């Protein structure tokens, strides 16, 4: 990931991070971003969080950690492995994992580690690429050909993701889709309005965002 850091440190569109953050009405306490990349999500949360909120970020890439620290000097950023988080039990009020779980080798272990470091009733917000995306079969050959990630993206089915989460003590509170059903641009805005009235369409978008509570 150090080799491709310059390609990925800008992360995703700012609208995506705002959509992720909108899953929760307020932020406080201690917040961890697992797979923080260049720190764009931390920066987004920092703008709306309560005073004295403490931010933490972890990424496997030393170079991305350096970039994240430059973007978020107030945050504690460390290089580490999501499957062996270097934090004590029951430390965080919120944990985020945006577009990172799909690159891991042991999904269950990574999610179990989040449960361990998250306080009881703490909130976990995770996003993954969606295997049930309406355009998946059309785009898969293109994605396979042009992927430059060390670990190929794993597209999760909604059921697969929710069973993974509930299997390690999480209770699903809310979910939304992100990115497109079919289109980008102004047509994508229309799709979001349509999904608001027909929520099942969220499960057919390119990415899925799930908010859950730690029920340990």
């Amino acid at each position: 990931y150090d080799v491709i850091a310059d390609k990925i440190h800008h992360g995703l569109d700012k609208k995506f991070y705002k959509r992720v953050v909108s899953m929760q009405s307020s932020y406080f306490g201690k917040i961890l971003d697992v797979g923080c990349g260049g720190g764009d999500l931390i920066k987004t949360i920092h703008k709306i969080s309560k005073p004295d909120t403490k931010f933490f970020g972890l990424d496997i890439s030393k170079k991305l950690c350096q970039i994240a620290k430059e973007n978020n000097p107030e945050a504690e950023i460390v290089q580490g492995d999501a499957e062996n988080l270097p934090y004590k039990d029951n430390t965080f009020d919120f944990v985020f994992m945006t577009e990172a779980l799909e690159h891991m080798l042991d999904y269950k272990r990574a999610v179990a580690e989040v449960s361990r470091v998250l306080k009881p009733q703490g909130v976990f917000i995770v996003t993954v690429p969606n295997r049930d995306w309406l355009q998946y079969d059309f785009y898969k050959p293109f994605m396979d050909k042009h992927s430059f990630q060390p670990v190929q993206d794993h597209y999760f089915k909604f059921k697969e993701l929710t069973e993974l989460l509930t299997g390690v003590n999480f209770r699903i509170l809310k979910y939304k889709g992100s990115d497109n059903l079919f289109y980008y641009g102004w047509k994508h805005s229309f799709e979001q309005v349509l999904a608001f009235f027909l929520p099942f369409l969220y499960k057919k978008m390119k990415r899925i965002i799930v908010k859950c509570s730690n029920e340990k």
Side-chain angles (χ1 to χ4, degrees), residues 97-134:
M97 190 180 285
T98 56
E99 303 303 291
L101 184 62
E102 67 270 20
H103 301 298
M104 306 205 180
L105 300 178
D106 189 335
Y107 311 125
K108 186 174 182 179
R109 184 181 178 96
V111 172
E113 276 291 274
V114 171
S115 177
R116 179 183 66 78
V117 303
L118 191 61
K119 294 177 181 178
Q121 307 305 313
V123 171
F124 178 35
I125 298 177
V126 57
T127 82
V128 293
N130 184 13
R131 176 63 181 82
D132 295 320
W133 177 34
L134 288 175

Side-chain angles (χ1 to χ4, degrees), residues 37 64 69 77 89 94 103 137 139 179 215:
L64 286 173
K69 186 62 178 177
I77 310 293
D89 297 0
F94 300 90
H103 301 298
D137 290 330
Y139 273 102
D179 289 14
E215 299 297 307

Side-chain angles (χ1 to χ4, degrees), residues 118-179:
L118 191 61
K119 294 177 181 178
Q121 307 305 313
V123 171
F124 178 35
I125 298 177
V126 57
T127 82
V128 293
N130 184 13
R131 176 63 181 82
D132 295 320
W133 177 34
L134 288 175
Q135 292 282 73
Y136 177 83
D137 290 330
F138 177 77
Y139 273 102
K140 188 177 188 307
F142 175 84
M143 293 185 291
D144 289 344
K145 183 177 180 180
H146 295 280
S147 175
F148 54 83
Q149 298 276 7
V151 179
Q152 182 76 313
D153 289 10
H154 175 75
Y155 277 63
F156 285 84
K157 285 183 172 290
F158 181 79
K159 183 178 179 182
E160 177 189 7
L161 177 62
T162 54
E163 287 181 349
L164 174 66
L165 292 168
T166 57
V168 287
N169 303 316
F170 285 110
R171 177 168 62 91
I172 308 302
L173 300 176
K174 184 179 181 181
Y175 70 87
K176 280 188 178 180
S178 187
D179 289 14

Side-chain angles (χ1 to χ4, degrees), residues 24 27-32 53-54 90-96 117-124 212 214:
Q24 171 74 19
Y27 290 98
F28 52 85
K30 293 183 177 181
I31 301 176
L32 170 65
T53 301
K54 297 185 183 301
N90 308 321
T91 297
F92 299 101
D93 299 279
F94 300 90
V95 175
F96 287 82
V117 303
L118 191 61
K119 294 177 181 178
Q121 307 305 313
V123 171
F124 178 35
C212 46
N214 197 12

